[in-house]
């Protein structure tokens, strides 16, 4: 007898039995079918769900009372912006924080910085960041983790606050009417898909040139030629960024104060507070990692010569206290969260009690924030401007953010969140360092732990 053959057959039968026990067999399927009784309340619920939106059926009527819209401290702003069908919330939020200060300082009417101007250079810089990263990793195989990540994350219109800092400090600012929005800036998908396709083609060419032993000068010259194509696509879709312009400054009554001549950098100096951008700290609440430690995410920047996103991980209570101090001083902040969770978009309310899926579906959804992050069920998805807090006995009970989805969305363009929701779904806050206690500020002196680009906390806001 061939003992090797016998052993192989026995092993195969054992493996087959194991697979059968673990698969969705007829016996298991029968158990599942018998567990569901299509009668009584279940039948009524099934009929309702078949003809209605699941979210609408889960609305918790006990939580539909009129919202309290009073806030103890609220930053004064004018005009709600609208990012339309784009992922530029990070950019709108960063510019809105600066415009709130400009409006207060110069008694301006409703006013916006040009998001399109900054977006143009954001996309150009990201294209260069990608191509240079391809050159930096050209000796690695295509299935290397970093190369694979780069080719899956070529270009995005999403970002974080470090992108605002990178782009604005380098290229300055212009008013919105100097470089207004275009169809492609408000609807970025088609333009982005074409640039991404071209950049992937360019990536392969650069890798081939490196493999052929081309010198650094030749590689950089070829990269510039590639970026010329990207620049042309951006100019055709977004317009040509101005290098100088006139700005007619008006007061809150609409009266002309003066006409000023500016470059983007001089406009940043006067209206964008260039020095202020350099005095922010980035905070995170990530319960999957130790608190009071700093972290840096590789390639989480918008320019090759910019700064990776470096943040201090803190409990929410510490973050809240700094946010309150900032709002007390009429200073808004860059804030990001998992906005889609428990959102009542009609009322503009973020509340853990908005929906009762447990009663509707007969099961609970019990993961905590740490578990949701670990399983990729939650993460930072959207940036807004934190503009108000309501306190009771010195403790926050609710917060309000200025959104960038237009004035008709939510509560007149704002979203109100309960403090309990804040605990569960707030992720990032960027605050001026003057509102940060010295003991917290000193923690930024530690060397940050470098995390890879594919870390869940990369998550660009859109």
């Amino acid at each position: 007898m061939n003992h090797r053959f016998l052993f192989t057959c026995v092993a195969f039968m054992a493996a087959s039995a194991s697979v059968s026990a673990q698969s969705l067999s007829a016996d298991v399927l029968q158990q599942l079918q018998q567990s569901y009784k299509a009668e009584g309340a279940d039948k009524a619920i099934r009929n309702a769900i078949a003809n209605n939106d699941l979210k609408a059926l889960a609305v918790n009527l006990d939580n539909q009372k009129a919202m309290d819209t009073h806030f103890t401290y609220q930053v004064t702003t004018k005009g709600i912006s609208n990012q339309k069908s784009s992922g530029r919330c990070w950019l709108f939020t960063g510019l809105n924080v600066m415009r709130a200060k400009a409006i207060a300082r110069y008694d301006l009417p409703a006013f916006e910085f040009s998001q399109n101007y900054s977006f143009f250079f954001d996309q150009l810089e990201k294209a260069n960041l990608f191509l240079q990263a391809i050159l930096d990793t050209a000796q690695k195989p295509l299935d290397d983790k970093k190369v694979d990540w780069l080719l899956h994350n070529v270009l995005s219109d999403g970002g974080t606050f470090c992108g605002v800092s990178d782009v604005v400090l380098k290229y300055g600012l212009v008013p919105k009417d100097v470089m207004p929005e275009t169809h492609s800036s408000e609807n970025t998908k088609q333009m982005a898909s074409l640039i991404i396709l071209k950049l992937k083609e360019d990536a392969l060419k650069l890798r081939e040139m490196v493999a052929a032993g081309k010198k650094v000068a030749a590689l950089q010259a070829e990269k510039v030629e590639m970026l010329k194509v990207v620049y042309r696509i951006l100019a055709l879709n977004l317009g040509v960024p101005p290098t100088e312009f006139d700005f007619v400054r008006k007061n809150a009554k609409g009266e002309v104060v003066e006409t000023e001549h500016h470059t983007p950098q001089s406009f940043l100096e006067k209206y964008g507070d260039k020095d202020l951008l350099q005095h922010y700290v980035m905070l995170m609440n990530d319960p999957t990692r130790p608190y009071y430690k700093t972290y840096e995410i590789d390639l989480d920047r918008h320019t090759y010569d910019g700064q990776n996103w470096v943040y201090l991980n803190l409990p929410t209570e510490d973050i809240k206290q700094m946010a309150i101090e900032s709002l007390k001083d009429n200073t808004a902040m860059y804030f990001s969260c998992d906005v889609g969770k428990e959102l009542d978009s009609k009322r503009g309310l973020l509340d853990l009690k908005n929906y009762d899926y447990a009663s509707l579906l007969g099961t609970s959804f019990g993961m905590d924030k740490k578990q949701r992050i670990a399983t990729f069920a939650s993460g930072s998805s959207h940036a807004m401007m934190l503009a108000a807090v309501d306190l009771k006995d010195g403790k926050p009970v609710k917060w309000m953010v200025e959104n960038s989805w237009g004035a008709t969305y939510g509560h007149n363009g704002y979203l109100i969140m309960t403090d309990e929701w804040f605990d569960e779904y707030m992720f990032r806050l960027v605050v001026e360092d003057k509102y940060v206690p010295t003991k917290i500020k000193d923690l930024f002196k530690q060397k940050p732990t470098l995390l890879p680009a594919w870390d869940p906390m990369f998550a660009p806001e859109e």
Side-chain angles (χ1 to χ4, degrees):
M1 176 179 290
N2 188 325
H3 294 286
R4 179 175 293 181
F5 175 77
L6 178 61
F7 175 80
T8 301
C9 289
V10 171
F12 176 78
M13 289 188 290
S16 299
S18 176
V19 170
S20 296
Q22 295 172 12
S23 65
L24 190 58
S25 64
D27 178 61
V28 172
L29 182 59
Q30 185 178 29
Q31 292 180 53
L32 298 178
Q33 291 169 333
Q34 292 174 350
S35 71
Y36 174 71
K37 305 297 182 184
E39 56 191 29
D42 257 18
K43 186 175 182 180
I45 292 172
R46 187 183 63 173
N47 289 337
I49 292 175
N51 296 285
N52 292 278
D53 177 68
L54 188 64
K55 189 173 184 178
L57 292 174
V59 169
N60 181 8
L61 292 180
D62 293 336
N63 202 47
Q64 292 294 300
K65 60 183 182 296
M67 290 193 304
D68 176 10
T69 58
H70 166 77
F71 288 89
T72 309
Y73 299 102
Q74 181 172 347
V75 176
T76 303
T77 60
K78 296 178 182 178
I80 300 296
S81 56
N82 194 340
Q83 67 189 79
K84 299 291 182 70
S85 296
S86 75
R88 299 172 294 159
C89 67
W90 59 277
L91 180 57
F92 275 70
T93 300
L95 296 183
N96 285 344
V97 169
M98 285 191 288
R99 77 159 176 161
K101 286 185 166 293
I103 288 171
R105 187 183 307 120
Y106 295 104
D107 188 35
L108 299 174
F111 163 83
E112 289 182 51
F113 293 110
S114 171
Q115 300 92 0
N116 189 26
Y117 173 83
S118 298
F119 180 57
F120 182 104
F121 289 110
D122 170 73
Q123 296 295 279
L124 184 63
E125 285 282 356
K126 283 177 178 173
N128 178 65
L129 176 62
F130 168 75
L131 291 176
Q132 190 57 49
I134 288 295
L135 285 173
D136 293 344
T137 58
Q139 303 292 350
K140 299 179 182 292
L142 278 174
D143 61 357
D144 172 80
K145 180 70 173 178
K146 191 169 187 177
V147 177
D148 178 81
W149 183 88
L150 285 168
L151 292 173
H152 277 90
N153 297 271
V154 177
L155 185 75
S156 168
D157 58 0
T160 60
F161 179 81
C162 62
V164 180
S165 180
D166 284 348
V167 173
V168 170
L169 288 179
K170 188 169 183 177
Y171 294 101
L173 294 167
V174 306
K176 188 164 189 170
D177 58 3
V178 170
M179 189 169 176
E181 295 285 278
T182 68
H183 180 81
S184 289
S185 70
E186 295 179 335
N187 302 271
T188 56
K189 185 177 180 179
Q190 187 62 51
M191 179 187 73
S193 67
L194 293 172
I195 295 176
I196 288 169
L197 186 62
K198 191 64 182 176
L199 288 174
K200 288 187 176 185
E201 176 186 328
D202 293 341
L204 293 177
K205 183 175 182 180
L206 289 176
R207 286 176 59 87
E208 289 170 359
M209 290 176 68
V210 171
K214 298 295 183 182
K215 295 186 179 298
V216 172
L219 294 169
Q220 290 299 323
E222 184 61 34
K223 189 186 74 168
V224 170
E225 293 302 312
M226 294 170 174
L227 289 173
K228 287 180 181 178
V229 175
V230 174
Y231 190 99
R232 185 172 189 272
I233 294 173
L234 290 172
L236 292 172
N237 281 273
L238 305 178
V240 179
T243 56
E244 55 183 313
F245 56 91
D246 289 327
F247 174 61
V248 180
R249 179 157 66 93
K250 299 179 181 179
N251 60 24
K253 296 179 181 179
E255 300 166 337
V256 175
V257 176
E258 62 177 315
T259 298
E260 308 166 352
H261 189 73
H262 282 286
T263 65
Q265 282 294 340
S266 69
F267 199 73
L268 165 63
E269 289 279 359
K270 182 167 185 177
Y271 294 100
D273 232 333
K274 182 176 181 178
D275 293 335
L276 199 60
L277 273 177
Q278 299 170 337
H279 293 94
Y280 283 102
V281 296
M282 291 177 277
L283 310 173
M284 168 70 87
N285 176 248
D286 175 9
T288 69
R289 291 193 169 95
Y291 289 136
Y292 305 107
K293 299 290 185 182
T294 56
Y295 299 88
E296 176 182 357
I297 300 183
D298 190 23
L299 290 175
D300 195 355
R301 60 188 190 274
H302 291 229
T303 67
Y304 190 79
D305 52 347
Q307 298 293 318
N308 281 333
W309 183 47
V310 177
Y311 66 89
L312 176 63
N313 195 29
L314 292 174
T316 54
E317 293 308 312
D318 288 349
I319 294 175
K320 287 178 188 178
Q321 193 53 50
M322 287 176 267
I324 291 169
E325 292 305 312
S326 184
L327 293 171
K328 283 182 177 180
D329 197 31
N330 197 41
T331 302
M333 289 150 285
Y334 182 106
F335 166 96
S336 69
C337 61
D338 195 353
V339 72
K341 301 297 192 297
E342 307 298 331
L343 167 63
D344 183 334
S345 58
K346 292 182 180 179
R347 295 201 296 163
L349 178 64
L350 293 157
D351 188 339
L352 300 181
K353 300 176 182 176
N354 274 342
Y355 303 100
D356 184 7
Y357 291 106
S359 295
L360 181 67
L361 300 176
T363 187
S364 61
F365 300 88
M367 285 195 291
D368 60 21
K369 188 173 186 179
K370 181 177 181 178
Q371 293 168 325
R372 289 193 300 271
I373 294 172
T375 58
F376 301 94
S378 185
S380 185
S381 63
H382 184 56
M384 298 172 283
M385 187 177 79
L386 188 59
V389 64
D390 191 33
L391 303 178
K392 182 177 182 180
D393 299 326
K395 299 292 185 182
V397 292
K398 66 180 185 296
W399 306 78
M400 186 166 70
V401 288
E402 180 184 299
N403 203 359
S404 56
W405 291 345
T408 60
Y409 190 94
H411 177 63
N412 302 318
Y414 293 84
L415 296 179
I416 295 173
M417 69 189 78
T418 64
D419 191 58
E420 293 79 12
W421 190 94
F422 186 107
D423 288 337
E424 293 297 324
Y425 295 109
M426 180 280 300
F427 282 92
R428 300 169 178 166
L429 185 75
V430 182
V431 61
E432 290 184 48
D433 59 6
K434 66 180 179 180
Y435 305 114
V436 180
T438 301
K439 65 178 182 179
I440 297 294
K441 202 180 303 183
D442 287 345
L443 294 173
F444 279 94
K445 297 176 182 178
Q446 61 186 294
K447 184 179 180 180
T449 299
L450 182 64
L451 303 174
W454 46 90
D455 186 87
M457 288 301 108
F458 181 93
E461 285 101 24
E462 298 180 350

Short mmCIF file of all heavy atoms in Angstrom, two decimals, residues 356-390:
data_model
loop_
_atom_site.label_atom_id
_atom_site.label_comp_id
_atom_site.label_asym_id
_atom_site.label_seq_id
_atom_site.Cartn_x
_atom_site.Cartn_y
_atom_site.Cartn_z
N ASP A 356 -33.44 54.91 16.36
CA ASP A 356 -33.59 53.70 17.19
C ASP A 356 -33.61 52.47 16.28
O ASP A 356 -34.66 51.89 16.01
CB ASP A 356 -34.88 53.81 18.01
CG ASP A 356 -35.04 52.63 18.96
OD1 ASP A 356 -34.11 51.81 19.06
OD2 ASP A 356 -36.12 52.53 19.60
N TYR A 357 -32.44 52.10 15.81
CA TYR A 357 -32.33 50.92 14.95
C TYR A 357 -32.52 49.63 15.74
O TYR A 357 -32.96 48.61 15.20
CB TYR A 357 -30.97 50.89 14.26
CG TYR A 357 -30.79 51.99 13.23
CD1 TYR A 357 -29.98 53.09 13.49
CD2 TYR A 357 -31.43 51.92 12.00
CE1 TYR A 357 -29.81 54.09 12.55
CE2 TYR A 357 -31.28 52.91 11.05
CZ TYR A 357 -30.47 54.00 11.34
OH TYR A 357 -30.31 55.00 10.41
N ALA A 358 -32.21 49.69 17.03
CA ALA A 358 -32.33 48.49 17.87
C ALA A 358 -33.78 48.00 17.93
O ALA A 358 -34.06 46.81 17.77
CB ALA A 358 -31.80 48.78 19.27
N SER A 359 -34.71 48.92 18.15
CA SER A 359 -36.12 48.53 18.23
C SER A 359 -36.64 48.08 16.87
O SER A 359 -37.46 47.16 16.78
CB SER A 359 -36.95 49.71 18.74
OG SER A 359 -36.60 50.02 20.07
N LEU A 360 -36.17 48.73 15.82
CA LEU A 360 -36.65 48.41 14.48
C LEU A 360 -36.15 47.04 14.02
O LEU A 360 -36.92 46.24 13.46
CB LEU A 360 -36.19 49.49 13.49
CG LEU A 360 -36.62 49.32 12.03
CD1 LEU A 360 -38.13 49.48 11.90
CD2 LEU A 360 -35.90 50.32 11.15
N LEU A 361 -34.88 46.74 14.27
CA LEU A 361 -34.26 45.53 13.73
C LEU A 361 -34.07 44.43 14.76
O LEU A 361 -33.65 43.32 14.42
CB LEU A 361 -32.91 45.88 13.09
CG LEU A 361 -32.98 46.89 11.93
CD1 LEU A 361 -31.58 47.23 11.46
CD2 LEU A 361 -33.82 46.34 10.79
N GLY A 362 -34.35 44.73 16.02
CA GLY A 362 -34.28 43.70 17.05
C GLY A 362 -32.88 43.29 17.44
O GLY A 362 -32.64 42.16 17.87
N THR A 363 -31.92 44.19 17.28
CA THR A 363 -30.55 43.90 17.71
C THR A 363 -29.86 45.21 18.06
O THR A 363 -30.23 46.27 17.56
CB THR A 363 -29.75 43.18 16.60
OG1 THR A 363 -28.49 42.77 17.13
CG2 THR A 363 -29.52 44.07 15.40
N SER A 364 -28.86 45.14 18.91
CA SER A 364 -28.14 46.34 19.32
C SER A 364 -26.85 46.48 18.52
O SER A 364 -26.37 45.52 17.92
CB SER A 364 -27.82 46.29 20.82
OG SER A 364 -26.99 45.17 21.11
N PHE A 365 -26.31 47.69 18.52
CA PHE A 365 -25.04 47.97 17.86
C PHE A 365 -24.14 48.58 18.93
O PHE A 365 -24.16 49.79 19.15
CB PHE A 365 -25.24 48.92 16.68
CG PHE A 365 -26.17 48.34 15.63
CD1 PHE A 365 -27.55 48.55 15.71
CD2 PHE A 365 -25.68 47.58 14.59
CE1 PHE A 365 -28.41 48.01 14.76
CE2 PHE A 365 -26.53 47.03 13.63
CZ PHE A 365 -27.90 47.24 13.72
N GLY A 366 -23.37 47.72 19.59
CA GLY A 366 -22.77 48.10 20.86
C GLY A 366 -21.30 48.42 20.88
O GLY A 366 -20.72 48.52 21.96
N MET A 367 -20.63 48.57 19.72
CA MET A 367 -19.20 48.87 19.77
C MET A 367 -18.94 50.27 20.34
O MET A 367 -19.70 51.21 20.06
CB MET A 367 -18.59 48.78 18.37
CG MET A 367 -18.39 47.36 17.86
SD MET A 367 -17.29 47.28 16.42
CE MET A 367 -18.31 48.08 15.17
N ASP A 368 -17.87 50.40 21.10
CA ASP A 368 -17.47 51.72 21.58
C ASP A 368 -16.54 52.36 20.55
O ASP A 368 -16.23 51.77 19.50
CB ASP A 368 -16.83 51.65 22.96
CG ASP A 368 -15.56 50.79 23.00
OD1 ASP A 368 -14.94 50.56 21.93
OD2 ASP A 368 -15.18 50.35 24.10
N LYS A 369 -16.09 53.57 20.83
CA LYS A 369 -15.28 54.32 19.86
C LYS A 369 -14.00 53.57 19.51
O LYS A 369 -13.62 53.49 18.33
CB LYS A 369 -14.95 55.70 20.43
CG LYS A 369 -14.27 56.64 19.44
CD LYS A 369 -14.13 58.03 20.03
CE LYS A 369 -13.59 59.03 19.02
NZ LYS A 369 -13.48 60.40 19.59
N LYS A 370 -13.35 53.01 20.49
CA LYS A 370 -12.11 52.27 20.26
C LYS A 370 -12.35 51.09 19.33
O LYS A 370 -11.58 50.85 18.39
CB LYS A 370 -11.54 51.79 21.59
CG LYS A 370 -10.23 51.03 21.47
CD LYS A 370 -9.69 50.66 22.85
CE LYS A 370 -8.36 49.91 22.72
NZ LYS A 370 -7.81 49.57 24.07
N GLN A 371 -13.42 50.36 19.55
CA GLN A 371 -13.73 49.21 18.73
C GLN A 371 -14.11 49.61 17.31
O GLN A 371 -13.77 48.94 16.34
CB GLN A 371 -14.85 48.40 19.38
CG GLN A 371 -14.44 47.74 20.70
CD GLN A 371 -15.62 47.19 21.46
OE1 GLN A 371 -16.73 47.75 21.44
NE2 GLN A 371 -15.42 46.07 22.15
N ARG A 372 -14.83 50.73 17.18
CA ARG A 372 -15.21 51.19 15.84
C ARG A 372 -13.99 51.59 15.02
O ARG A 372 -13.91 51.31 13.82
CB ARG A 372 -16.19 52.36 15.95
CG ARG A 372 -17.58 51.97 16.43
CD ARG A 372 -18.58 53.09 16.21
NE ARG A 372 -18.21 54.32 16.91
CZ ARG A 372 -18.55 54.62 18.15
NH1 ARG A 372 -19.30 53.77 18.86
NH2 ARG A 372 -18.19 55.76 18.70
N ILE A 373 -13.04 52.25 15.66
CA ILE A 373 -11.82 52.63 14.94
C ILE A 373 -11.04 51.40 14.53
O ILE A 373 -10.58 51.28 13.39
CB ILE A 373 -10.95 53.54 15.83
CG1 ILE A 373 -11.64 54.89 16.08
CG2 ILE A 373 -9.59 53.79 15.17
CD1 ILE A 373 -10.94 55.76 17.10
N ALA A 374 -10.90 50.45 15.45
CA ALA A 374 -10.11 49.24 15.19
C ALA A 374 -10.68 48.41 14.05
O ALA A 374 -9.94 47.72 13.34
CB ALA A 374 -10.01 48.40 16.46
N THR A 375 -11.99 48.48 13.84
CA THR A 375 -12.63 47.69 12.79
C THR A 375 -12.98 48.54 11.56
O THR A 375 -13.74 48.10 10.70
CB THR A 375 -13.91 47.02 13.33
OG1 THR A 375 -14.80 48.04 13.83
CG2 THR A 375 -13.58 46.04 14.44
N PHE A 376 -12.45 49.77 11.51
CA PHE A 376 -12.69 50.68 10.40
C PHE A 376 -14.17 51.04 10.25
O PHE A 376 -14.63 51.37 9.15
CB PHE A 376 -12.15 50.11 9.08
CG PHE A 376 -10.68 49.81 9.11
CD1 PHE A 376 -10.23 48.53 9.43
CD2 PHE A 376 -9.75 50.80 8.84
CE1 PHE A 376 -8.87 48.26 9.47
CE2 PHE A 376 -8.40 50.52 8.89
CZ PHE A 376 -7.94 49.25 9.21
N ALA A 377 -14.92 50.96 11.35
CA ALA A 377 -16.33 51.32 11.32
C ALA A 377 -16.54 52.81 11.53
O ALA A 377 -17.65 53.32 11.32
CB ALA A 377 -17.10 50.54 12.39
N SER A 378 -15.49 53.51 11.94
CA SER A 378 -15.61 54.95 12.18
C SER A 378 -14.24 55.59 12.01
O SER A 378 -13.20 54.98 12.27
CB SER A 378 -16.14 55.22 13.59
OG SER A 378 -16.38 56.60 13.79
N GLY A 379 -14.26 56.83 11.57
CA GLY A 379 -13.02 57.58 11.39
C GLY A 379 -13.35 59.00 11.00
O GLY A 379 -14.50 59.34 10.71
N SER A 380 -12.35 59.85 11.01
CA SER A 380 -12.55 61.25 10.65
C SER A 380 -12.93 61.36 9.18
O SER A 380 -12.18 60.92 8.31
CB SER A 380 -11.28 62.05 10.94
OG SER A 380 -11.49 63.42 10.70
N SER A 381 -14.08 61.95 8.90
CA SER A 381 -14.57 61.97 7.52
C SER A 381 -14.88 63.36 6.99
O SER A 381 -14.97 63.56 5.78
CB SER A 381 -15.84 61.11 7.41
OG SER A 381 -16.88 61.66 8.21
N HIS A 382 -15.03 64.34 7.89
CA HIS A 382 -15.48 65.66 7.42
C HIS A 382 -15.00 66.74 8.38
O HIS A 382 -15.03 66.56 9.60
CB HIS A 382 -17.01 65.67 7.34
CG HIS A 382 -17.58 66.94 6.78
ND1 HIS A 382 -17.24 67.43 5.55
CD2 HIS A 382 -18.47 67.83 7.30
CE1 HIS A 382 -17.90 68.56 5.31
NE2 HIS A 382 -18.66 68.81 6.36
N ALA A 383 -14.54 67.85 7.81
CA ALA A 383 -14.07 68.98 8.61
C ALA A 383 -15.10 70.11 8.57
O ALA A 383 -15.70 70.37 7.52
CB ALA A 383 -12.73 69.47 8.11
N MET A 384 -15.28 70.77 9.69
CA MET A 384 -16.16 71.92 9.81
C MET A 384 -15.54 72.90 10.80
O MET A 384 -14.57 72.56 11.48
CB MET A 384 -17.56 71.49 10.28
CG MET A 384 -18.27 70.55 9.31
SD MET A 384 -19.82 69.87 9.98
CE MET A 384 -19.17 68.62 11.10
N MET A 385 -16.11 74.07 10.92
CA MET A 385 -15.58 75.08 11.83
C MET A 385 -16.36 75.05 13.14
O MET A 385 -17.56 75.29 13.18
CB MET A 385 -15.67 76.48 11.21
CG MET A 385 -14.98 77.55 12.03
SD MET A 385 -15.02 79.17 11.24
CE MET A 385 -16.70 79.70 11.63
N LEU A 386 -15.69 74.74 14.23
CA LEU A 386 -16.32 74.73 15.55
C LEU A 386 -16.56 76.16 15.98
O LEU A 386 -15.61 76.94 16.14
CB LEU A 386 -15.44 73.99 16.56
CG LEU A 386 -16.05 73.74 17.94
CD1 LEU A 386 -17.32 72.90 17.84
CD2 LEU A 386 -15.04 73.06 18.86
N ALA A 387 -17.83 76.52 16.15
CA ALA A 387 -18.18 77.94 16.31
C ALA A 387 -18.92 78.26 17.59
O ALA A 387 -19.06 79.45 17.92
CB ALA A 387 -19.03 78.40 15.12
N ALA A 388 -19.40 77.27 18.34
CA ALA A 388 -20.19 77.60 19.53
C ALA A 388 -20.22 76.45 20.52
O ALA A 388 -20.06 75.28 20.15
CB ALA A 388 -21.62 77.97 19.11
N VAL A 389 -20.43 76.81 21.78
CA VAL A 389 -20.60 75.82 22.85
C VAL A 389 -21.63 76.35 23.84
O VAL A 389 -21.72 77.56 24.07
CB VAL A 389 -19.26 75.53 23.58
CG1 VAL A 389 -18.74 76.78 24.30
CG2 VAL A 389 -19.41 74.37 24.55
N ASP A 390 -22.42 75.45 24.38
CA ASP A 390 -23.38 75.81 25.42
C ASP A 390 -22.97 75.11 26.71
O ASP A 390 -22.76 73.89 26.72
CB ASP A 390 -24.80 75.37 25.01
CG ASP A 390 -25.86 75.96 25.92
OD1 ASP A 390 -25.66 77.08 26.42
OD2 ASP A 390 -26.89 75.30 26.13
#
